[in-house]
Amino acid sequence: MSGPGRWRELVRVEPGEGRALAWSCAYFFLLLSSYYVIRPLRDEMGLRGTDDALSWLFVGTLAGTVALNPLFGALVRRFPRRVFVPVVYHALAATLLAFYLLLRAAPPEAALPVARVFFVWVSIFNLFAVSVFWGFMADIWSSAQGRRLFGLVGVGGTVGAIAGGALTAGLAHAVGATQLLLLAALLLEGAVLAVRRLSRIAAPRSAPAPPGEDGLTGPRAWLEGFRLIARSPYLAGICVFLMLYAVSSTFLYFEQARITRAAFTDSASRVAFFARVDLAVNLIALTVQLFFTGRIIGWIGLGASLAVMPLLSTGGYLLLALVPAVPVLVGGRVRAGAPGARGALHRRHAGREVHREEPDRHLRLPRRRRDRRLGRPGAGRAGGRRRRARGDLPAAGRGLDRPGGLARPAPARAGRPRGDPMSRAIRLHEYGGPEVLRWEEVPVPAPGPGEALIRHTAIGVNFIDTYHRSGLYPLPSLPHGLGSEAAGVVEAVGPGVTEAEPGARVAYAGGSPGSYAELRVVPASRLVPLPAAIDDGTAAAALLKGMTVEYLVRRTCPVRAGETVLFHAAAGGVGLIACQWLKRLGARVIGTVSTDAKAELARAHGCDHPVVTAREDFVARVRELTDGRGVPVVYDSVGRDTFLRSLDCLAPRGMLVSFGNASGPPPPLDPLLLAAKGSLFLTRPTLLHYTATRAELLASAGALFEGIVGGAIRIEARHAWPLPEAAAAQRALEERKTAGPILLRP
């Protein structure tokens, strides 16, 4: 058969059906777009807490569904669907807006309960929203028309699911995950518009349902349903299949939860990741639905095709038991999310059972001869599948497993620049003051295995750079490059690199010094791909400082809401980020600064009590503000000038976190002094040890990016110098003439 002939056979739309079909597809498209925008948020919130908590979320979903079902049935019976359906979707959209406000305004201690309620609500939302849709479709189309056209409507839903996943994947980091609730509500309102148009098209042709069609509700309807199942071995078989499928999928859900928790720690990265896997699954489903299902049925028959699905599942579970890794979970998700094949098969076979003796009683369009054939087997309702939470598998996968879509879905091809390019860079031939820095031309080798060549667009200046220049932190050899932080574009990658590809925007922090350069080869494993919402200057100004703050306040000495902390150098690059992050955690911040102008700057960034050390005794001020108790933690990057006196600010069993030496190295300390001052703790952490693995690196950067994109952390690079003037930038930093981040521009 020719191509046009095949499509006419597949798309058998008869005169008078086109407008209603188009609006039906639009309705399902908008509905599933909305659901697939919020589903990754639901999946991410399900990962918060323990597996026991996740189990109770499943129980809550079941309880909520059972509790709402009688009310749902009563409303359907009482009101016409053209009235009832818009009200349902308006209510769902209003609920999304309510969750948006709750998630934005809830204090940290209330965030987890809100997330759990949201998980249960979205799971129930899926069941009832899709049930309402197919009930409305049953009112508009006859069974014969449904067998011809529902496949096309289902394709519209699948395309909507693809669009929803793509929107969430692209916007999760750009606008923040919570903002996506507004988009989902807008899409639901679009579905209401489609319902109203369909009601106008179909209403003149509607006919009342036969007497007694919907005469049973509540427990009586359930009992009648059980009787129908008991009388039909086929329906009973479907029920057993779905029950076993849901139970087995629950095991897969918990395994993917364990693996995904280990791979990602920040919410935006999880949301974007889940959305990308949803997108991949639905694209595969649509492809199978349109091009393979019919061929498979033709080759091996309908019964054998149905039997293949559990066999594939069994093989997948055996493989997962042997290799409990993310790629295997993705394979299981594709198997579970291939409704284009599975849904089409079951509807095709079930349609013969359910509609065998059903008259053409729902015709809304002109009556015509019954078409006893089903649509082509590849035209199943991929997007219209109903899922319970236990069978609705969150995504997990490899190749898309980087926070915020930071990695590319396919390995990058190795690339080599044409010849060894030359780069100009700041070099250090001897230790000393800023005057020892030299602006030189140096060759840049092609990237080797596991390496990437980066063309810098913005370079961060940090106090650690001055430690390397002075020799406080000796370099491996001289001459040597300087600088530990930069952002730019990947020019080429060496063999075996999967973390980035040429053309990608990336940033890095830490590792061997050498970022004060136009071009540089770095280990690809230390690269952090940048979200579209974060420009290169912001990344270079924030990455090292922001990840430092992340490990200090979340991991070295975790700060709880309501605690009072002392942070030295509160108006510095690290200090301004720390003030904002600590306020986000609900802490009360005391910060030391050197001038009144810096005090105002620190206050504007969340410091509750700036202390100007030029005229105030910070120890006395801390004791005054805490009623003599002291603070549980002091974060000190100043070093020699504040180290010993910081111990006097601590409450018993408090911790001094010494993470810098701006005024010089701290003096030697007798451990007995810690006991005498209240059994105190002292630690000297470094960023390297808190980002030792790639998972830790990406999690730390992801938490920082989430705060920046969400507006909780503002990055203002107030000072910038051309790269050749790096000495002037370091001199200003050491003389405390700057406030906030400093950039060098190549």
Side-chain angles (χ1 to χ4, degrees):
M1 183 181 296
S2 65
R6 288 183 179 179
W7 282 107
R8 282 194 296 271
E9 175 68 15
L10 175 63
V11 186
R12 291 180 294 125
V13 181
E14 299 189 13
E17 296 174 338
R19 289 181 62 206
L21 176 62
W23 280 108
S24 297
C25 292
Y27 175 11
F28 206 19
F29 173 91
L30 291 164
L31 177 61
L32 286 195
S33 291
S34 175
Y35 172 62
Y36 274 87
V37 165
I38 62 174
R39 193 176 98 142
L41 278 74
R42 190 278 314 265
D43 289 340
E44 188 279 325
M45 292 182 185
L47 295 184
R48 303 180 186 183
T50 63
D51 283 348
D52 287 341
L54 190 57
S55 299
W56 283 109
L57 292 180
F58 288 173
V59 175
T61 299
L62 175 62
T65 304
V66 172
L68 290 176
N69 193 58
L71 175 63
F72 179 76
L75 292 174
V76 170
R77 176 173 169 77
R78 182 177 180 86
F79 298 101
R81 282 195 176 93
R82 66 178 180 273
V83 175
F84 172 70
V85 173
V87 171
V88 168
Y89 291 138
H90 281 315
L92 293 174
T95 311
L96 284 173
L97 294 177
F99 274 112
Y100 169 78
L101 296 175
L102 280 173
L103 291 169
R104 293 280 294 180
E109 60 271 16
L112 184 58
V114 173
R116 289 172 175 171
V117 173
F118 183 79
F119 180 96
V120 173
W121 178 84
V122 173
S123 301
I124 297 174
F125 161 93
N126 180 39
L127 294 173
F128 286 103
V130 177
S131 297
V132 167
F133 170 80
W134 286 113
F136 192 74
M137 291 296 101
D139 277 358
I140 293 175
W141 304 102
S142 71
S143 59
Q145 291 168 325
R147 289 193 294 273
R148 283 189 295 105
L149 302 177
F150 279 3
L152 294 174
V153 176
V155 170
T158 302
V159 175
I162 292 170
L167 286 169
T168 299
L171 296 175
H173 276 93
V175 303
T178 306
Q179 305 292 334
L180 295 172
L181 294 174
L182 301 178
L183 174 60
L186 183 63
L187 290 168
L188 274 179
E189 291 299 321
V192 172
L193 173 63
V195 169
R196 296 193 186 282
R197 294 301 298 267
L198 278 169
S199 297
R200 285 198 291 269
I201 294 172
R205 299 170 181 149
S206 37
E213 179 194 11
D214 294 315
L216 296 177
T217 60
R220 292 179 61 197
W222 297 352
L223 290 173
E224 182 61 25
F226 287 134
R227 291 191 188 100
L228 287 173
I229 292 170
R231 289 197 297 265
S232 170
Y234 181 78
L235 293 178
I238 290 179
C239 290
V240 172
F241 173 83
L242 291 176
M243 181 187 70
L244 294 175
Y245 179 81
V247 170
S248 64
S249 295
T250 302
F251 295 126
L252 189 61
Y253 196 113
F254 276 90
E255 182 64 13
Q256 71 86 30
R258 183 186 66 81
I259 293 176
T260 306
R261 282 195 191 101
F264 308 101
T265 59
D266 65 289
S267 61
S269 300
R270 289 174 174 174
V271 169
F273 170 62
F274 286 144
R276 290 180 187 278
V277 177
D278 280 343
L279 178 61
V281 167
N282 282 305
L283 285 170
I284 294 172
L286 183 61
T287 302
V288 172
Q289 178 180 350
L290 291 175
F291 301 110
F292 294 100
T293 307
R295 296 177 182 274
I296 293 172
I297 294 175
W299 290 337
I300 64 176
L302 183 59
S305 299
L306 289 169
V308 164
M309 303 307 294
L311 291 177
L312 290 176
S313 300
T314 301
Y317 291 131
L318 290 174
L319 183 58
L320 184 61
L322 296 173
V323 187
V326 174
V328 182
L329 280 172
V330 169
R333 176 64 196 280
V334 169
R335 183 273 312 163
R342 190 181 66 250
L345 295 176
H346 285 297
R347 276 193 307 280
R348 180 183 176 103
H349 208 35
R352 294 173 178 163
E353 180 77 14
V354 175
H355 296 299
R356 183 178 297 155
E357 298 178 359
E358 180 183 333
D360 276 332
R361 55 179 173 78
H362 281 156
L363 283 178
R364 300 293 182 256
L365 301 174
R367 187 179 297 270
R368 51 184 60 83
R369 73 175 172 83
R370 292 193 65 192
D371 185 350
R372 301 225 19 121
R373 294 185 302 167
L374 300 178
R376 288 180 67 86
R381 175 169 51 88
R385 56 199 180 276
R386 298 183 222 172
R387 296 180 178 175
R388 289 178 170 80
R390 67 183 60 191
D392 191 4
L393 304 181
R398 196 72 170 174
L400 296 170
D401 62 345
R402 301 295 187 240
L406 299 181
R408 305 293 179 179
R413 291 180 297 176
R416 295 178 64 92
R418 297 178 180 176
D420 284 351
M422 298 298 291
S423 171
R424 289 175 296 178
I426 295 291
R427 301 279 287 174
L428 181 68
H429 291 257
E430 59 181 323
Y431 297 122
E435 66 280 357
V436 303
L437 300 183
R438 299 185 188 180
W439 178 240
E440 300 178 344
E441 191 171 73
V442 294
V444 180
E451 294 180 333
L453 174 63
I454 312 300
R455 180 175 295 278
H456 294 149
T457 55
I459 300 162
V461 178
N462 298 277
F463 245 107
I464 194 173
D465 304 343
T466 68
Y467 304 159
H468 289 136
R469 188 207 68 220
S470 67
L472 177 63
Y473 291 176
L475 294 166
S477 62
L478 293 177
H480 206 284
L482 205 62
S484 302
E485 178 181 38
V489 178
V490 178
E491 291 279 300
V493 298
V497 171
T498 59
E499 294 85 355
E501 63 183 10
R505 295 175 56 244
V506 295
Y508 63 89
S512 178
S515 65
Y516 288 12
E518 295 172 330
L519 289 167
R520 188 188 182 196
V521 172
V522 298
S525 62
R526 302 304 298 177
L527 295 177
V528 177
L530 297 180
I534 296 180
D535 61 75
D536 294 1
T538 298
L543 188 60
L544 188 144
K545 304 171 189 66
M547 291 196 299
T548 297
V549 172
E550 184 277 327
Y551 83 72
L552 289 175
V553 304
R554 298 209 314 173
R555 290 185 281 164
T556 301
C557 186
V559 176
R560 296 187 294 269
E563 289 185 325
T564 300
V565 305
L566 172 61
F567 205 101
H568 287 299
V574 174
L576 293 179
I577 297 175
C579 290
Q580 297 174 81
W581 206 312
L582 288 166
K583 292 305 293 182
R584 184 185 183 193
L585 295 174
R588 180 186 181 210
V589 184
I590 304 172
T592 62
V593 296
S594 59
T595 66
D596 289 328
K598 289 186 177 182
E600 290 304 314
L601 181 62
R603 184 178 285 110
H605 284 76
C607 181
D608 299 283
H609 303 285
V611 179
V612 182
T613 55
R615 65 168 183 269
E616 295 181 271
D617 182 343
F618 70 83
V619 176
R621 186 68 173 134
V622 167
R623 290 293 174 181
E624 176 188 348
L625 292 170
T626 60
D627 297 325
R629 294 186 301 272
V631 294
V633 59
V634 175
Y635 297 101
D636 186 358
S637 63
V638 176
R640 180 179 56 209
D641 293 350
T642 55
F643 181 77
L644 290 177
R645 304 197 69 221
S646 291
L647 296 174
D648 296 328
C649 297
L650 289 169
R653 300 193 303 277
M655 177 180 287
L656 172 57
V657 182
S658 175
F659 67 99
N661 315 288
S663 64
L669 178 69
D670 184 350
L672 290 177
L673 184 62
L674 299 176
K677 291 183 177 291
S679 297
L680 304 180
F681 295 87
L682 171 64
T683 184
R684 181 54 173 92
T686 66
L687 177 63
L688 177 64
H689 295 135
Y690 280 86
T691 57
T693 68
R694 181 154 180 82
E696 289 175 332
L697 172 68
L698 294 179
S700 183
L704 170 65
F705 292 159
E706 181 181 7
I708 294 173
V709 173
I713 298 173
R714 305 192 316 273
I715 305 298
E716 300 172 354
R718 299 166 176 268
H719 311 280
W721 277 265
L723 177 55
E725 300 177 20
Q730 288 199 0
R731 186 175 291 108
L733 177 63
E734 290 180 297
E735 293 175 357
R736 299 193 178 186
K737 294 180 178 179
T738 63
I742 301 173
L743 288 179
L744 299 175
R745 295 289 187 179

